[in-house]
Structure formats: structure tokens, C-alpha cells
Amino acid sequence: MIIKKLAIIGASYLQLPLVKKAKEMGIETHCFAWREGAVCADVADFFYPISIVEKDEILKKCQEIGIDGITTIASDTAVVTVNYVASRMGLLSNPDDYSEVTTNKYKMRQCFLENDVPSPKFTLVEDANHYQISGFRFPLIVKPTDRSGSRGVEKVLDPVQLEEAIVRAQKESFEHKAIIEEFVTGKEISVESISFEGKHYILQITDKVTTGAPFFVELEHHQPSSLPDDIKEQVCKIVLNALDALHIQYGAGHSELKITENGDIKVIEIGARMGGDFIGSNLVQLSTGYDFLKGVIEVSLGDFHEPKIIEQHYSGVYFLSEETQYLKPIIEHWCDYPEILEAEINNEELRRVECSGDRSGYLIYQSDKKYKI
């Protein structure tokens, strides 16, 4: 029996479900990441302490190993390396030429503009002392061009706050650039999808609850979305067009959108990867029965099977922070709640969150009806 070899870029807790799933499937796992925080190092069959941005070094090692596929979940930075290595080894991935478009918010906005994908008005800031916002009205949103997890994202109300937010966003950015966007109010959702050979399959739509201004860090995710069916249909049509525009042909997709009170739909950003926060790794399978992790692995190995939605449940995740301290006793006694499948407190200190890394714990649920804590 020939054992398939899978390279996984990243080894933090975000990749752990992927490593475990691959091993469950009888696949030999090869993980690449810094040693610090590499919880997958002791789980994967092989671990290589190579930074995920060291593309050529990872390529060389993957060629030595003779991998059959390469993938990642929930990491924009790792996506670039996946596409780079795969394209040079003749493996399945999205086009390397479009890696930056799917990981850089400014270039993504440009792509949306060129392909009639509805999205917020925007402008690039390369120099904190020189930027153009004529035609914009406050409030505005400032973001690093190339980070995820709400790092450096901030709503600003006036020019003074804008200058300060630009400096913070540029410090967070790998390329030291920021993007200014018009502020879109409305319901936040994400669309979870998987693609193979350019055909896209919508798996689920997720409702989001955030901290709100100024940092908009996610505190809850719930599936399926409570949107009316006609709006869901419009959302899916827009997302399919956006996935095509970004040349996403293989693997998971995580599309974030806002729907205004007037019913306007705006694409905020799209990741050529699973959604983090347990959305892709846990919630999709809990709400639909479709094994999303297995599907992503099969795509990377060229053995894809069309998704079948075999179940309909409600699933979701709540995150613990100072804003949600009411969750602490529930998480501490989560076994008393039959709907809660998993819960953990990883930091006893409850902080007000400015990015997803500030959250102190979580609980994941599955229910046959809407579950509100």
C-alpha cells in the first residue's frame, strides 16, 4: 500500500485539526513552522523547524520528501507558500501568480473593482504623512494591507484618530502599508466554500457577532445564517463571482461580507483558506455533516469528491473575554450543558479584546434549534 505524503504549512493550534484529520486518513504528515508555538510538532509524523515564509527552503525539503500534496488552513501567510511550492512541483493549488491578490487587502480591492464585485470604497496608504481621502466621509476603517485576525483594524471618527490608526496599522503590516475604507454598517456574515478545478461549492453561511467599534473582533459565530433565502441566494451569486475574480480554483474559501439595512451586499474580503475561529475546522461539519477538513486534504491530493450536505443542525462558537465574562461559569461547567461539545479557558485573565489573540477561551455547541446563551 502506497502511503500519501502531505506537507502542512504551519504548526500552531490552527493547523492541529488538519494534522489530526490527515493522520486519521492514513496520510503521512510533514509540518513546517517555527518551533515556538508549534503544537503540531509532537503530533505530525515529521516536523521541520522552518519558518513558513522560507518558501525556497520548504520547497527544497518537499522535493526531497517527494510530497503528494501541500495545504494549510486558517493562515493567509501560509497560503502564499503553499501555492509557491505546489506550482513548482506540479501539485494542485491556486495559481502562484494570484497569491498576493488573495492575501493583500489592497490588491484584492483592486481586483474586486476591476471585476464588478461590490465592495467598500478604498485607498492605499504607503506614507503615513501623505494619503488622499477626498470623497470619503467619516467614520472610516483602517487596516493593515496584509494581516488577519483583526490585527490593526480600527474604526476612526476624525482626522486625528485616522492618523493614529494609520501608524498602528502600518506597524502591524508586514509591508508597512495600510488601507483606508469607507465604513459599511450592517449584518456581518461569512460564506464557507470549497473549490476543485475552478468549480465552487457553497457549504454554509455563517452569522457573526463582533465587539463593534473600534476593533470589530469576533465574539460569536453561528451556522446556519438567519438571512432570508432570497438574500442568501444573492450572497452566493456574488461570492461565486468573487472567487472567480480572485482565480481561486482549489481548496477552501472564506468570504466575509456585510449586508446593509438597505439590502446592499458588500464583500469585505476573501481568504483562499478555511475560516479560523473553528468555523472551517469544526462548525461546518457540525451544521452540515460535510467533513470540510477531509475535503481540503482530498483537494490537495487530487482525490476530490463533490460535497454532500447530509445533515442540518445549528452550530456555533462563543469566545470568552472581558466583554463576555458571563460565559466563564458556563465554560467552567460546560459538561452540564448537553449542547456544548467542547470548551476551554486558556487564560484566566479576561481582557478587553483588540485582536483575536486577546480572547481567553471558547465554547463550541451543536443543537437542533437555535442556541442562545
Side-chain angles (χ1 to χ4, degrees):
M1 178 181 175
I2 298 175
I3 298 176
K4 296 284 188 179
K5 300 176 181 179
L6 180 68
I8 295 172
I9 307 303
S12 73
Y13 74 95
L14 293 171
Q15 308 299 329
L16 189 58
L18 183 66
V19 175
K20 289 181 175 179
K21 177 59 66 173
K23 288 176 68 67
E24 178 187 307
M25 294 168 64
I27 295 166
E28 186 177 285
T29 53
H30 297 258
C31 263
F32 296 82
W34 283 319
R35 170 67 67 176
E36 184 179 355
V39 298
C40 297
D42 297 327
V43 182
D45 295 299
F46 298 92
F47 174 73
Y48 310 91
I50 304 172
S51 167
I52 65 173
V53 301
E54 297 293 339
K55 298 183 291 186
D56 287 310
E57 195 172 344
I58 292 175
L59 171 61
K60 182 179 178 182
K61 180 58 69 173
C62 286
Q63 289 171 330
E64 291 175 5
I65 297 164
I67 62 169
D68 299 291
I70 181 169
T71 191
T72 189
I73 58 173
S75 171
D76 288 324
T77 306
V79 164
V80 176
T81 299
V82 167
N83 295 342
Y84 182 85
V85 172
S87 66
R88 284 155 180 79
M89 292 187 65
L91 302 173
L92 294 183
S93 74
N94 292 312
D96 187 35
D97 293 345
Y98 285 86
S99 290
E100 201 169 12
V101 177
T102 59
T103 56
N104 184 289
K105 292 177 174 59
Y106 174 66
K107 293 185 177 181
M108 184 180 294
R109 284 274 178 272
Q110 287 183 306
C111 180
F112 288 162
L113 186 63
E114 292 166 1
N115 289 275
D116 298 320
V117 176
S119 62
K121 185 178 178 180
F122 65 97
T123 188
L124 178 68
V125 181
E126 297 181 272
D127 183 340
N129 297 312
H130 298 90
Y131 52 89
Q132 179 58 255
I133 58 169
S134 60
F136 285 83
R137 296 176 60 184
F138 287 95
L140 299 170
I141 290 287
V142 180
K143 303 175 180 178
T145 53
D146 52 4
R147 295 304 298 265
S148 57
S150 301
R151 293 180 186 87
V153 177
E154 191 169 349
K155 177 184 177 183
V156 297
L157 304 176
D158 56 51
V160 174
Q161 288 186 347
L162 177 60
E163 290 181 8
E164 295 170 348
I166 288 171
V167 171
R168 283 192 288 269
Q170 288 181 320
K171 284 182 179 178
E172 289 284 355
S173 170
F174 293 121
E175 63 176 6
H176 306 295
K177 296 179 183 179
I179 185 172
I180 300 171
E181 298 178 355
E182 66 172 329
F183 177 63
V184 178
T185 59
K187 182 179 179 66
E188 295 193 43
I189 62 166
S190 65
V191 178
E192 324 314 328
S193 61
I194 192 166
S195 304
F196 188 75
E197 295 181 340
K199 185 174 181 180
H200 313 299
Y201 303 87
I202 303 297
L203 302 175
Q204 188 58 283
I205 301 178
T206 309
D207 286 339
K208 295 176 175 287
V209 176
T210 75
T211 57
F215 301 113
F216 301 94
V217 182
E218 286 95 342
L219 294 177
E220 303 172 25
H221 300 288
H222 303 281
Q223 296 178 356
S225 172
S226 60
L227 288 171
D229 288 342
D230 61 327
I231 300 296
K232 288 181 181 179
E233 188 175 333
Q234 293 178 50
V235 165
C236 290
K237 184 177 180 181
I238 289 171
V239 167
L240 292 174
N241 180 40
L243 292 171
D244 283 340
L246 295 173
H247 291 258
I248 293 176
Q249 299 173 1
Y250 293 96
H254 176 68
S255 306
E256 298 184 348
L257 304 91
K258 275 192 175 183
I259 303 166
T260 70
E261 290 183 358
N262 297 328
D264 293 331
I265 300 169
K266 301 281 189 180
V267 179
I268 304 303
E269 62 187 67
I270 292 180
R273 55 168 175 79
M274 278 188 180
D277 283 356
F278 307 102
I279 294 172
S281 59
N282 295 68
L283 302 191
V284 169
Q285 185 170 7
L286 289 174
S287 67
T288 68
Y290 176 67
D291 193 334
F292 199 4
L293 286 166
K294 183 179 180 182
V296 167
I297 293 169
E298 289 177 338
V299 166
S300 70
L301 297 172
D303 184 29
F304 179 69
H305 305 281
E306 186 170 323
K308 289 182 171 55
I309 307 303
I310 58 176
E311 299 175 15
Q312 291 186 347
H313 300 288
Y314 291 90
S315 68
V317 58
Y318 287 85
F319 289 99
L320 177 63
S321 66
E322 183 180 307
E323 293 90 339
T324 60
Q325 55 187 296
Y326 70 92
L327 293 173
K328 192 166 187 283
I330 297 172
I331 294 175
E332 289 172 335
H333 301 92
W334 68 271
C335 290
D336 296 337
Y337 300 82
E339 297 87 355
I340 299 177
L341 306 181
E342 180 182 337
E344 181 180 345
I345 295 175
N346 48 46
N347 190 339
E348 289 293 335
E349 179 188 358
L350 304 187
R351 294 173 288 182
R352 295 198 69 80
V353 293
E354 295 185 8
C355 70
S356 57
D358 292 334
R359 299 174 305 197
S360 299
Y362 67 91
L363 68 83
I364 296 172
Y365 73 84
Q366 181 192 51
S367 176
D368 289 326
K369 59 182 180 180
K370 288 188 177 181
Y371 187 67
K372 183 67 178 176
I373 295 179

